[in-house]
């Protein structure tokens, strides 16, 4: 007999930065790291660890939301490259990273995970990024 739990955001994901808002499937957060324009999507479904844990329709919806958020990051940051990743080695709750990358950034050309020291976003930059993302994603 399976137990059904309500969706709850892992506190470690919540601590990564402020909420941008909710899309139909995913909760979207801005990662508070000035070195990168970095967003995390978390499908609002309980007990999900892997993309394959999502039902078929939700997997299709997830790909569309990744595309929409990727376009918003590109438009808001003018980045040269988008990195999209679902790792979950530290936080097992299903979540996806969308990171705007540029040659010469703090981790280029390698991945951003575990590289260097986190640099908090200045409040004005954080607010500017949140406003740009919310506008692109039509989240109020």
């Amino acid at each position: 007999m399976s137990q059904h739990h309500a969706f709850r955001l892992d506190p470690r994901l919540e601590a990564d930065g402020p909420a941008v808002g909710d899309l139909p499937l995913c909760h979207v957060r801005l990662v508070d790291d000035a070195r990168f324009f970095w967003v995390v999507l978390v499908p609002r479904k309980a007990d999900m660890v892997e993309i394959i844990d999502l039902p078929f329709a939700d997997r299709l919806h997830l790909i569309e939301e990744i595309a929409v958020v990727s376009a918003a990051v590109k438009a808001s940051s003018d980045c040269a490259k988008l990195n999209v990743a679902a790792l979950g080695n530290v936080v097992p709750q299903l979540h996806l990273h969308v990171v705007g990358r540029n040659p010469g950034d703090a981790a280029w050309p390698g991945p951003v995970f575990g590289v260097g020291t986190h640099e908090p976003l200045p409040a004005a930059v954080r607010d500017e990024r949140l406003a740009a993302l919310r506008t692109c994603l039509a989240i109020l």
Side-chain angles (χ1 to χ4, degrees), residues 7-32:
F7 169 78
R8 284 201 6 230
L9 183 64
D10 187 292
R12 293 167 291 189
L13 295 174
E14 190 170 5
D16 279 345
V20 175
D22 289 334
L23 296 172
L25 176 65
C26 292
H27 176 65
V28 182
R29 299 190 78 82
L30 177 67
V31 174
D32 184 18

Side-chain angles (χ1 to χ4, degrees), residues 72-129:
V73 168
K74 183 107 172 141
S76 301
S77 70
D78 198 32
C79 61
K81 181 70 180 96
L82 291 163
N83 289 181
V84 177
L87 292 108
N89 298 341
V90 175
V91 178
Q93 181 176 37
L94 178 59
H95 63 285
L96 292 100
H97 301 266
V98 177
V99 188
R101 301 294 307 278
N102 288 292
D105 72 26
W108 190 268
V112 298
F113 306 100
V115 172
T117 304
H118 166 263
E119 297 173 14
L121 285 163
V125 174
R126 180 197 63 226
D127 293 347
E128 182 179 286
R129 289 183 182 184

Side-chain angles (χ1 to χ4, degrees), residues 14-90:
E14 190 170 5
D16 279 345
V20 175
D22 289 334
L23 296 172
L25 176 65
C26 292
H27 176 65
V28 182
R29 299 190 78 82
L30 177 67
V31 174
D32 184 18
D33 192 333
R35 300 172 302 154
F36 311 104
F37 199 118
W38 188 343
V39 176
V40 173
L41 292 84
V42 186
R44 291 188 320 279
K45 301 283 183 175
D47 305 322
M48 297 290 131
V49 175
E50 307 293 350
I51 292 171
I52 59 173
D53 294 339
L54 289 169
F56 177 75
D58 287 341
R59 289 196 307 266
L60 295 179
H61 204 130
L62 178 61
I63 288 296
E64 285 307 310
E65 289 191 3
I66 290 167
V68 167
V69 170
S70 294
V73 168
K74 183 107 172 141
S76 301
S77 70
D78 198 32
C79 61
K81 181 70 180 96
L82 291 163
N83 289 181
V84 177
L87 292 108
N89 298 341
V90 175

